[in-house]
Amino acid sequence: MIKRESYLQQIRPFINQNVIKVLTGIRRCGKSVMLDLIKDELIDRGVDNRQIISINLESGEWLLKNRVDQLYDHVKEQVLPAKKMYLFLDEIQEINGWEKAINAFLIDFDLDIYITGSNAKLLSGELATYLGGRYVEFNIYPFSFKEVYEINRLDGGAAELPQLFHNYLRMGGMPFIYDANIDENSQKKYLSDIYDSVVLKDIVERNKVRNIDLLQRILLFLMVNIGNPFSAPAMIKFLKNEKRSLSQETVYNYLNYCEAACFAHLVEREDIVGKQVLKFQEKIYLTDHGFREVLYGNNERDIQQVLENIVYMELLRRGYAVKVGKVSTTEVDFVADRGSERIYYQVAYILAEAATVEREFSPLEAISDNYPKFVLTMDDFDRSRNGIQHLNIIKFLLAD
């Protein structure tokens, strides 16, 4: 188990602070492991194990007792008198009325509370309603390539770097794939099972979706078209050709369900010159591109799209807010903002021809500000020009 230090660095300042620590992310991305890492940190600080209350609300123990009063009573029984206690609740959305229990815990006991959930909008929405500003949210994602590289290094460097990245390109970063050292067929079976769980539990059941076949077709459309400008009319036309009809409102409802389940990201466009957010032709990216390989295939063939997806998710991991940039009639793949910092990125497979070089560099050259600008490709040679830096994607992913 690796420590996932980048997440711990974000969480540490809030340990023992009177705010709820909320860890959200797609199922099986490592949220439960993060709770274990926080517990280890507390014990290293001298906290007695008896001060830690840990409940996994998906375990069999809680299948038949999912009432909020039972949760409250269970925690109350374990609170030690005159002691600071630490409460860890995994997959909190499994308890109806959980937000009322959290509010009661804050009022009645001296608790430092950490919760996880697989529905980001549900958690943030309910907490905002009941707790005001008394929570802080941390987005947990599947393994970055750097984390996969670190696991491989701890295993004695069993895989060469190109082989390691090739597998990551195809199978994504869900932690169990790398922790369990399973073969490719088992990896695909595991990813398929996670996908089914996300669709059925976090999208269908949560949102009472009746037409599951239509939802599956929409999800396949999204996976095929990652990195391409999204258009609801284009999706409607695609489904009409398959003799399925739906409204534009339904399309966006389903997209919202996918975002809430931490499965996909709808990325807005920004007019860089006009400083306006454009509410059309957004792009879709997946939280983990391994699902695409399992459900659709062709990650290697569509490497340009998948590389964009990998870079987009890496920027989220590094704490950037990301948009797609528009400069006149051209596009910048990513505009990444973090505080006062801004960086522009173009992503391509290789700069094999002069036309490709021009396509990737010219939109960045048209931006008149002095923020850093990068072109990321799989090339090993450096074609930086006019202040625009050209980097190898693997080196970018492994950088601090």
Side-chain angles (χ1 to χ4, degrees):
M1 181 172 69
I2 62 171
K3 288 197 67 173
R4 310 203 80 176
E5 183 62 27
S6 62
Y7 294 115
L8 288 172
Q9 287 178 3
Q10 298 174 44
I11 296 167
R12 281 190 188 106
F14 297 94
I15 292 176
N16 285 320
Q17 300 297 320
N18 191 31
V19 290
I20 311 300
K21 276 66 72 174
V22 183
L23 282 62
T24 59
I26 193 170
R27 286 182 180 271
R28 306 296 174 255
C29 71
K31 300 187 298 296
S32 301
V33 171
M34 284 306 308
L35 292 186
D36 290 338
L37 291 171
I38 297 167
K39 294 174 204 172
D40 291 343
E41 181 107 356
L42 291 171
I43 291 170
D44 288 343
R45 295 186 181 195
V47 172
D48 191 310
N49 198 52
R50 293 174 299 173
Q51 294 172 255
I52 296 174
I53 305 170
S54 186
I55 304 171
N56 184 341
L57 295 162
E58 285 191 314
S59 73
E61 180 184 357
W62 285 89
L63 286 177
L64 299 178
K65 55 174 184 177
N66 64 351
R67 298 204 318 268
V68 66
D69 58 324
Q70 293 173 311
L71 176 63
Y72 181 88
D73 291 341
H74 181 81
V75 171
K76 182 179 179 181
E77 289 172 2
Q78 297 189 58
V79 171
L80 301 177
K83 286 283 188 179
K84 178 77 174 183
M85 302 295 292
Y86 298 85
L87 177 61
F88 294 83
L89 299 171
D90 203 0
E91 297 296 350
I92 188 69
Q93 76 275 349
E94 298 299 325
I95 295 288
N96 295 322
W98 60 268
E99 65 283 351
K100 297 176 184 177
I102 297 295
N103 197 39
F105 292 149
L106 282 177
I107 294 170
D108 295 348
F109 310 113
D110 185 11
L111 285 172
D112 190 22
I113 303 175
Y114 303 80
I115 66 177
T116 78
S118 300
N119 189 302
K121 292 185 179 180
L122 171 73
L123 265 63
S124 61
E126 298 296 342
L127 284 172
T129 300
Y130 280 86
L131 301 177
R134 290 183 292 173
Y135 75 97
V136 58
E137 184 175 359
F138 304 95
N139 298 309
I140 310 299
Y141 301 112
F143 280 161
S144 66
F145 180 64
K146 186 174 183 179
E147 289 176 310
V148 170
Y149 175 80
E150 179 65 16
I151 291 171
N152 184 65
R153 191 185 65 81
L154 293 173
D155 288 341
E160 297 291 333
L161 186 59
Q163 175 194 345
L164 199 65
F165 186 73
H166 176 261
N167 190 63
Y168 185 76
L169 179 81
R170 295 179 64 246
M171 306 309 295
M174 295 304 283
F176 182 78
I177 287 176
Y178 300 94
D179 289 339
N181 193 28
I182 53 180
D183 61 35
E184 183 175 308
N185 287 335
S186 299
Q187 291 176 13
K188 289 182 176 180
K189 175 67 167 61
Y190 176 72
L191 287 173
S192 179
D193 288 347
I194 296 177
Y195 173 80
D196 289 342
S197 179
V198 170
V199 170
L200 292 175
K201 296 201 70 172
D202 298 325
I203 299 179
V204 172
E205 289 182 15
R206 177 64 59 188
N207 302 287
K208 298 179 173 56
V209 175
R210 295 181 180 179
N211 194 335
I212 299 176
D213 177 68
L214 181 61
L215 172 65
Q216 295 279 20
R217 290 172 185 270
I218 289 175
L219 288 169
L220 181 60
F221 181 91
L222 297 181
M223 286 186 274
V224 172
N225 289 284
I226 58 170
N228 293 330
F230 170 77
S231 164
M235 178 181 284
I236 291 170
K237 182 179 179 181
F238 164 77
L239 292 169
K240 187 176 181 180
N241 291 337
E242 296 199 344
K243 297 182 171 44
R244 298 288 190 278
S245 62
L246 74 167
S247 68
Q248 189 163 310
E249 180 183 6
T250 301
V251 169
Y252 277 100
N253 283 339
Y254 280 18
L255 284 175
N256 288 332
Y257 301 158
C258 293
E259 286 192 286
C262 307
F263 180 79
H265 304 261
L266 188 62
V267 186
E268 296 175 329
R269 298 169 72 88
E270 177 186 282
D271 186 329
I272 295 172
V273 177
K275 309 295 184 184
Q276 292 180 316
V277 173
L278 306 173
K279 295 291 186 179
F280 65 93
Q281 287 201 323
E282 303 101 325
K283 285 190 173 185
I284 296 284
Y285 295 101
L286 303 178
T287 296
D288 191 87
H289 55 278
F291 294 119
R292 186 182 193 273
E293 178 69 25
V294 171
L295 275 299
Y296 173 66
N298 299 312
N299 275 6
E300 288 180 84
R301 187 199 68 185
D302 302 329
I303 189 170
Q304 170 75 35
Q305 292 173 260
V306 178
L307 289 175
E308 270 192 44
N309 203 116
I310 289 171
V311 171
Y312 172 76
M313 289 305 304
E314 180 64 23
L315 292 173
L316 292 190
R317 288 186 187 93
R318 297 182 185 187
Y320 290 98
V322 185
K323 294 185 177 68
V324 176
K326 177 181 177 294
V327 185
S328 185
T329 59
T330 62
E331 179 180 280
V332 175
D333 288 327
F334 301 123
V335 182
D337 293 304
R338 186 173 62 184
S340 60
E341 178 186 5
R342 167 167 282 204
I343 307 177
Y344 301 105
Y345 291 97
Q346 290 283 71
V347 182
Y349 174 35
I350 54 174
L351 302 178
E353 301 174 352
T356 307
V357 175
E358 193 64 24
R359 185 188 70 217
E360 302 302 332
F361 278 84
S362 59
L364 297 176
E365 290 170 337
I367 303 172
S368 58
D369 63 40
N370 294 316
Y371 291 114
K373 302 171 181 69
F374 292 89
V375 174
L376 306 177
T377 76
M378 293 298 293
D379 299 294
D380 288 324
F381 50 85
D382 186 352
R383 302 190 71 159
S384 301
R385 76 183 201 193
N386 297 331
I388 299 168
Q389 299 181 61
H390 176 210
L391 290 179
N392 176 272
I393 287 177
I394 295 178
K395 290 180 181 177
F396 166 77
L397 296 172
L398 293 178
D400 292 330

